[in-house]
Amino acid sequence: MLQPRIWSRSTQCANSAWTIARAYATATKTPLKASSSTDGSQALAQSNDAGAGKLSQKAKNTAGSFMRTYKPRTPGVRHLRRPINDHLWKGRPYAKLTFPKKGMGLGGRNNTGRVTVRHRGGGHKRRIRMVDFHRMAPGIHIVDRIEHDPNRSAHIALITSEKTKKKSYIIAAEGMREGDKIQSYRSGLPSELIRSMGGSVDPGMLAAKTALRGNCLPIRMVPLGTQIYNVGSTVGKGAVFCRSAGTYAIVISKEENRKKCKEVVVRLQSGEVRRVDPEACATMGVASNPNYHFTQLGKAGRKRWLGIRPTVRGLAMNAKDHPHGGGRGKGKGNNIPQSPWGTPAKGGYKTRGKRNINKHMIRCGDLLSSFLLTITVCTIRESRERVANREKITEAMPLNIQPPLLNSANPWASTEEDLVKLYQSPATGAVTVRTSLLKGFPHDPNIHQYIYFDVRFNTVKDERSPNANSTFNTLGYSPTPLSEYLTIIERIVSTSKPRTNKGKKPFIVSVTGTSDEIIQCHKLISECRARISHPLHMEINLSCPNIPNKPPPAYSSFALQEYLFALQRNKILQDPDAHVLVGIKTPPYTYHDQFQNLIDALLATTADNLKCPVDFITATNTLGSCLVLSESEEFLAPSSEPGSFVPAAASASGTGIGGVGGAALHAIALGNVRTIRMMLDKHVRLAPIEIIGVGGVADYPGYARFLSIGAVAVGVGTALGKDGPRIFQKILAEVEVLQMLDKMQLRGNAGEKTMGKQIDPDGKVVEKDQMVNGVDET
């Protein structure tokens, strides 16, 4: 067979300029699937403009998003396609962690000379890399390099212990690069980590600090909905699942008994759902080289280099070699499709005996995905009944807040007297209870305080001052436990009647705590709603900035998913008649990645056609890390020394730093509501989530701004503490005045027609000369 002309070495050297101009390899974008890299196309586009086959450093770091093709100088490279992985080590492996592979020339035969594995034989000489699938060594490890392993599809990483300097090979995670620091927590949590969390283990903080790419954890520590690879099955064994290129599993539920994890349920990529031991290993991330399955070898010889011999069809064999063999033409003699040993090959023939049941496997990939969470605690029949009942109320009950005005969870909604006034006010459409815990918060008035101040000059003001438009607080949560608040709500509903004709006025019970405590709170609220037949909703406060060593969980995608998946599992398994809407209260987000973390966490709960457990979002809570200074004469003196400031309020941390609300928060609250609304509307499954806008509302313009950008209701906090419940009547009175002017077609001259008129604190329209020091003389 004639071969294409191959230039000799001397000719290539003489024509080096021609060789450079006609590069041999080029990088092309794969049309099949894009990886997680977002800017790889731009990097490779720039590199291709500079010269084919020469990749920039940015393109090297985004390897896996593209495939490399070759100019057809020979027929064997015309169809050759390989993933671009230019970040791989070019040298030899670490010799001390390898040993030669023997038996390459045995052709798949055992010790008696019989062929036990067909289509094996020959191939290039190899050395086996000893990969650590247990990851029991504690401490920080440095990634020295990423290597190609000829014995597997995924890449491997050579790591060195920072403490012992011992080297080992591990399966590399996608995105792992030289210089990365990884750690294993299978031997226990380091004392430094526990001290950084304030001496106790907080699930949200623990996930934020440990659930990082490449880290190895006991699978009980992995947050729900997280992608993992190198998954073990039992304690003694190493990783046995998800070890090949691009594979991963997802943690979908954890079964607990007396607050101790009993077993973890994971879903593999095949769709199989199975139980694993809670102490089994799991590595965070996705196995490296995800585009390996796009590889095209280009010629049969490369198969032989890999030690794979040709496969012959049974139809082309003799009758003695295969049941399909013999005969004339392509007929197989009316035999059913079967293996060389007579086992049926099609028609769903099962080879596993009825007694040989895998007790760890829960379901295969062909069952309905609606059983994904319920199957872990009940039989398939019970699961179908629960899901069927749940489908009857799939359409979420919207927040029925009319008028769309309510209080936020704040100190002025703490006592029974406060809640009665808010409930009886005709201008409130709902009542929000101050954030509580199961056992109450240890409130200390010496360190948990709030003040009013003027945001323009950062000066402390009395709450009765007209310039006191913002609040600064170092408060925690309510000292009243949740059970007592539910008792108060029962008394209010049974003894008081709201002065409104627009149906039952709902209560929004704000709670916080760990994910397990939130589930208990949800059960208590559901039981209370069933007893009193009154609309009760639950708001989860994940955004308080004033708790030392406990950052708001809503800033971390992993911590947020821990709460959301626990809620999802609980809402599916609960009584379908318990219509308790669930919302989350978010902190002020300041850049795009924080918003994206929220959306990603919500989307993670909608996998497998499940409904998102969040029905509404309250945006936003107070802005943390703020400081207001007192107006002491010593501090204001020009000769004051640096550091001689006096905080305006004490705090639990001792720094005087706390959260800001009111007018100072209005602009960022509007931006949060608008951004979250737009990002929710981009996803069909998240579009039904409603938003309650909170932040700096003290009059009609602020109220109208929130409604105009997508909020379904508006919460009032700072103005409630200043003016009391009459602030709601004042806002609605302004609305009525504008509606009246609209009817009179005088909206354009509203300023002239209302000149000389003012709305008093009780919400009545009076003449300005009838107002003396804010009191209506009439």
Side-chain angles (χ1 to χ4, degrees), residues 639-652:
S639 60
S640 298
E641 297 180 358
S644 61
F645 61 85
V646 179
S651 66

Side-chain angles (χ1 to χ4, degrees), residues 8-29:
S8 64
R9 184 181 300 273
S10 59
T11 307
Q12 290 181 357
C13 294
N15 298 279
S16 59
W18 177 89
T19 306
I20 294 175
R22 297 192 53 165
Y24 183 48
T26 59
T28 60
K29 190 174 181 180

Side-chain angles (χ1 to χ4, degrees), residues 592-636:
H592 179 267
D593 287 352
Q594 293 177 332
F595 291 101
Q596 192 61 50
N597 286 340
L598 171 66
I599 300 301
D600 291 343
L602 294 173
L603 284 175
T605 62
T606 62
D608 301 298
N609 297 323
L610 293 175
K611 180 181 177 296
C612 181
V614 176
D615 299 295
F616 66 93
I617 296 175
T618 304
T620 67
N621 205 337
T622 54
L623 178 64
S625 300
C626 297
L627 181 64
V628 176
L629 304 179
S630 64
E631 299 181 6
S632 61
E633 296 181 358
E634 296 180 358
F635 173 68
L636 298 177

Side-chain angles (χ1 to χ4, degrees), residues 60 112 114 123 125 184 212 230 312 416 432 582 598 683 688:
K60 293 180 182 181
T112 63
R114 295 180 179 272
K125 290 194 300 182
S184 174
L212 305 176
N230 272 10
V312 180
E416 184 172 357
T432 305
V582 176
L598 171 66
H683 306 280

